[in-house]
Coordinates of all heavy atoms in Angstrom, one line a residue:
F67 N -2.5 -9.2 16.7 CA -3.7 -8.3 16.3 C -4.1 -8.5 14.9 O -5.3 -8.1 14.5 CB -3.3 -6.8 16.5 CG -3.3 -6.4 18.0 CD1 -2.1 -6.4 18.8 CD2 -4.5 -6.0 18.6 CE1 -2.2 -6.0 20.1 CE2 -4.5 -5.6 19.9 CZ -3.4 -5.7 20.7
I70 N -6.9 -11.4 15.1 CA -8.2 -11.2 15.8 C -9.2 -10.7 14.8 O -9.0 -9.7 14.2 CB -8.0 -10.2 16.9 CG1 -7.0 -10.7 18.0 CG2 -9.4 -10.0 17.7 CD1 -6.7 -9.7 19.1
P71 N -10.3 -11.4 14.7 CA -11.4 -10.8 13.8 C -11.9 -9.5 14.3 O -11.9 -9.2 15.5 CB -12.6 -11.9 14.1 CG -11.9 -13.1 14.5 CD -10.7 -12.7 15.3
F72 N -12.1 -8.6 13.3 CA -12.3 -7.2 13.6 C -13.5 -6.9 14.5 O -13.4 -6.1 15.4 CB -12.5 -6.4 12.3 CG -12.7 -4.9 12.5 CD1 -11.6 -4.1 12.9 CD2 -13.9 -4.3 12.4 CE1 -11.8 -2.8 13.2 CE2 -14.1 -3.0 12.6 CZ -13.0 -2.2 13.0
I73 N -14.6 -7.7 14.3 CA -15.8 -7.4 15.2 C -15.5 -7.8 16.6 O -16.0 -7.2 17.5 CB -17.0 -8.3 14.7 CG1 -18.3 -7.7 15.3 CG2 -16.8 -9.7 14.9 CD1 -18.7 -6.4 14.7
I74 N -14.6 -8.8 16.9 CA -14.2 -9.2 18.2 C -13.2 -8.1 18.7 O -13.3 -7.7 19.9 CB -13.5 -10.6 18.2 CG1 -14.5 -11.6 17.8 CG2 -13.0 -10.9 19.6 CD1 -14.0 -13.0 17.7
L75 N -12.4 -7.6 17.9 CA -11.4 -6.6 18.3 C -12.1 -5.3 18.8 O -11.7 -4.7 19.8 CB -10.5 -6.2 17.2 CG -9.4 -5.2 17.4 CD1 -8.4 -5.7 18.5 CD2 -8.6 -4.8 16.2
I76 N -13.2 -4.9 18.1 CA -14.0 -3.7 18.6 C -14.5 -4.0 20.0 O -14.4 -3.1 20.8 CB -15.2 -3.5 17.6 CG1 -14.7 -3.2 16.2 CG2 -16.1 -2.4 18.2 CD1 -15.8 -3.1 15.2
V77 N -15.0 -5.2 20.3 CA -15.5 -5.4 21.6 C -14.4 -5.4 22.7 O -14.6 -4.9 23.7 CB -16.3 -6.8 21.6 CG1 -16.8 -7.2 23.0 CG2 -17.5 -6.8 20.6
L78 N -13.3 -6.0 22.3 CA -12.2 -6.1 23.2 C -11.7 -4.7 23.6 O -11.2 -4.5 24.7 CB -11.0 -6.9 22.6 CG -11.3 -8.4 22.5 CD1 -10.1 -9.1 21.8 CD2 -11.4 -9.1 23.9
L79 N -11.7 -3.8 22.6 CA -11.2 -2.5 22.8 C -12.1 -1.4 23.4 O -11.8 -0.2 23.5 CB -10.6 -1.9 21.5 CG -9.4 -2.6 20.9 CD1 -9.0 -2.0 19.5 CD2 -8.2 -2.5 21.9
I80 N -13.3 -1.9 23.7 CA -14.3 -1.0 24.2 C -13.8 -0.2 25.5 O -14.0 1.0 25.6 CB -15.7 -1.7 24.5 CG1 -16.4 -2.0 23.2 CG2 -16.6 -0.9 25.5 CD1 -17.7 -2.8 23.4
P81 N -13.3 -0.9 26.5 CA -12.8 -0.1 27.7 C -11.7 0.9 27.3 O -11.7 2.0 27.8 CB -12.2 -1.2 28.6 CG -12.9 -2.5 28.2 CD -13.1 -2.3 26.7
F82 N -10.8 0.5 26.4 CA -9.7 1.4 25.9 C -10.3 2.6 25.2 O -9.9 3.7 25.3 CB -8.7 0.6 25.1 CG -7.7 1.4 24.4 CD1 -6.7 2.0 25.1 CD2 -7.7 1.7 23.0 CE1 -5.7 2.8 24.5 CE2 -6.8 2.5 22.4 CZ -5.8 3.1 23.1
T83 N -11.3 2.3 24.3 CA -11.9 3.3 23.5 C -12.6 4.3 24.4 O -12.6 5.5 24.2 CB -12.9 2.7 22.5 OG1 -12.2 1.8 21.7 CG2 -13.6 3.7 21.7
K84 N -13.3 3.8 25.5 CA -14.0 4.7 26.4 C -13.1 5.7 27.1 O -13.4 6.8 27.3 CB -14.8 3.9 27.4 CG -16.1 3.3 26.9 CD -16.9 2.6 28.0 CE -18.2 2.1 27.5 NZ -19.0 1.4 28.6
M90 N -18.3 4.9 23.3 CA -18.1 3.8 22.4 C -19.0 3.9 21.2 O -19.1 3.0 20.4 CB -18.5 2.4 23.1 CG -19.9 2.3 23.7 SD -20.3 0.7 24.3 CE -20.5 -0.2 22.7
L91 N -19.7 5.0 21.1 CA -20.5 5.4 19.9 C -19.9 6.5 19.1 O -19.3 7.4 19.6 CB -21.9 5.7 20.4 CG -22.7 4.6 21.2 CD1 -24.0 5.1 21.7 CD2 -22.8 3.4 20.4
G92 N -20.3 6.5 17.8 CA -19.8 7.6 17.0 C -18.6 7.2 16.1 O -17.9 6.2 16.4
A95 N -15.2 6.9 17.9 CA -15.0 5.7 18.8 C -14.5 4.5 18.0 O -13.9 3.6 18.5 CB -16.3 5.5 19.4
A96 N -14.8 4.6 16.6 CA -14.4 3.5 15.8 C -12.9 3.5 15.5 O -12.3 2.5 15.1 CB -15.2 3.4 14.5
L97 N -12.3 4.7 15.5 CA -10.9 4.9 15.0 C -9.8 4.0 15.7 O -9.0 3.4 15.0 CB -10.5 6.3 15.2 CG -11.3 7.3 14.3 CD1 -10.9 8.7 14.5 CD2 -11.0 7.0 12.8
P98 N -9.8 3.9 17.1 CA -8.8 3.0 17.7 C -8.9 1.6 17.2 O -7.8 1.0 16.9 CB -9.2 3.1 19.2 CG -9.9 4.4 19.4 CD -10.7 4.5 18.1
A99 N -10.0 1.0 17.1 CA -10.1 -0.4 16.6 C -9.8 -0.5 15.1 O -9.1 -1.4 14.7 CB -11.6 -0.9 16.7
L100 N -10.1 0.5 14.3 CA -9.8 0.5 12.8 C -8.3 0.6 12.7 O -7.7 -0.2 11.9 CB -10.4 1.7 12.1 CG -11.9 1.7 12.0 CD1 -12.4 3.1 11.5 CD2 -12.3 0.6 11.0
I101 N -7.6 1.4 13.5 CA -6.2 1.6 13.3 C -5.4 0.4 13.9 O -4.5 -0.2 13.2 CB -5.7 2.9 14.0 CG1 -6.3 4.1 13.4 CG2 -4.2 3.0 14.1 CD1 -6.3 5.4 14.2
I102 N -5.8 -0.1 15.1 CA -5.1 -1.3 15.6 C -5.4 -2.5 14.8 O -4.5 -3.4 14.8 CB -5.6 -1.4 17.1 CG1 -5.1 -0.2 17.9 CG2 -5.1 -2.8 17.7 CD1 -5.6 -0.2 19.4
G103 N -6.5 -2.6 14.2 CA -6.9 -3.7 13.4 C -6.1 -3.7 12.0 O -5.7 -4.8 11.5
S163 N -14.6 -1.7 4.5 CA -15.4 -2.8 5.0 C -15.4 -2.9 6.5 O -16.4 -3.1 7.2 CB -14.9 -4.1 4.5 OG -13.7 -4.5 5.0
F164 N -14.3 -2.5 7.2 CA -14.2 -2.4 8.7 C -15.2 -1.4 9.2 O -15.8 -1.6 10.3 CB -12.8 -2.2 9.1 CG -11.9 -3.3 9.0 CD1 -10.5 -3.2 9.3 CD2 -12.3 -4.6 8.7 CE1 -9.6 -4.2 9.1 CE2 -11.4 -5.7 8.5 CZ -10.1 -5.5 8.8
T165 N -15.2 -0.2 8.5 CA -16.1 0.9 9.0 C -17.6 0.4 8.9 O -18.4 0.8 9.7 CB -16.0 2.2 8.2 OG1 -16.3 1.9 6.8 CG2 -14.5 2.6 8.2
A166 N -17.9 -0.4 7.9 CA -19.3 -0.9 7.8 C -19.6 -1.8 8.9 O -20.7 -1.8 9.5 CB -19.5 -1.7 6.5
M167 N -18.7 -2.7 9.3 CA -18.9 -3.6 10.5 C -19.0 -2.8 11.8 O -19.8 -3.1 12.7 CB -17.7 -4.6 10.6 CG -17.9 -5.7 9.6 SD -16.6 -7.0 9.9 CE -15.2 -6.3 9.0
A168 N -18.1 -1.8 11.9 CA -18.2 -0.9 13.1 C -19.5 -0.2 13.2 O -20.0 0.1 14.3 CB -17.0 0.1 13.1
G169 N -20.0 0.2 12.0 CA -21.3 0.9 12.0 C -22.5 0.1 12.6 O -23.4 0.7 13.2
V170 N -22.4 -1.2 12.5 CA -23.5 -2.1 13.0 C -23.6 -1.9 14.6 O -24.7 -2.1 15.1 CB -23.2 -3.5 12.6 CG1 -24.3 -4.5 13.3 CG2 -23.3 -3.7 11.1
I171 N -22.5 -1.7 15.2 CA -22.5 -1.5 16.7 C -22.5 -0.1 17.1 O -22.0 0.2 18.2 CB -21.4 -2.4 17.3 CG1 -20.0 -1.9 16.9 CG2 -21.6 -3.8 17.1 CD1 -18.9 -2.5 17.7
G172 N -22.8 0.8 16.2 CA -23.1 2.2 16.6 C -21.9 3.2 16.3 O -21.9 4.3 16.8
A173 N -21.0 2.9 15.4 CA -20.0 3.8 15.0 C -20.4 4.8 14.0 O -19.7 5.7 13.7 CB -18.8 3.0 14.5

Side-chain angles (χ1 to χ4, degrees):
F67 284 98
I70 301 173
F72 182 70
I73 196 72
I74 296 175
L75 183 64
I76 295 175
V77 176
L78 288 175
L79 290 176
I80 284 175
F82 173 72
T83 302
K84 283 183 176 180
M90 60 172 284
L91 300 175
L97 293 176
L100 290 170
I101 296 164
I102 293 173
S163 67
F164 286 171
T165 64
M167 282 187 274
V170 174
I171 61 171

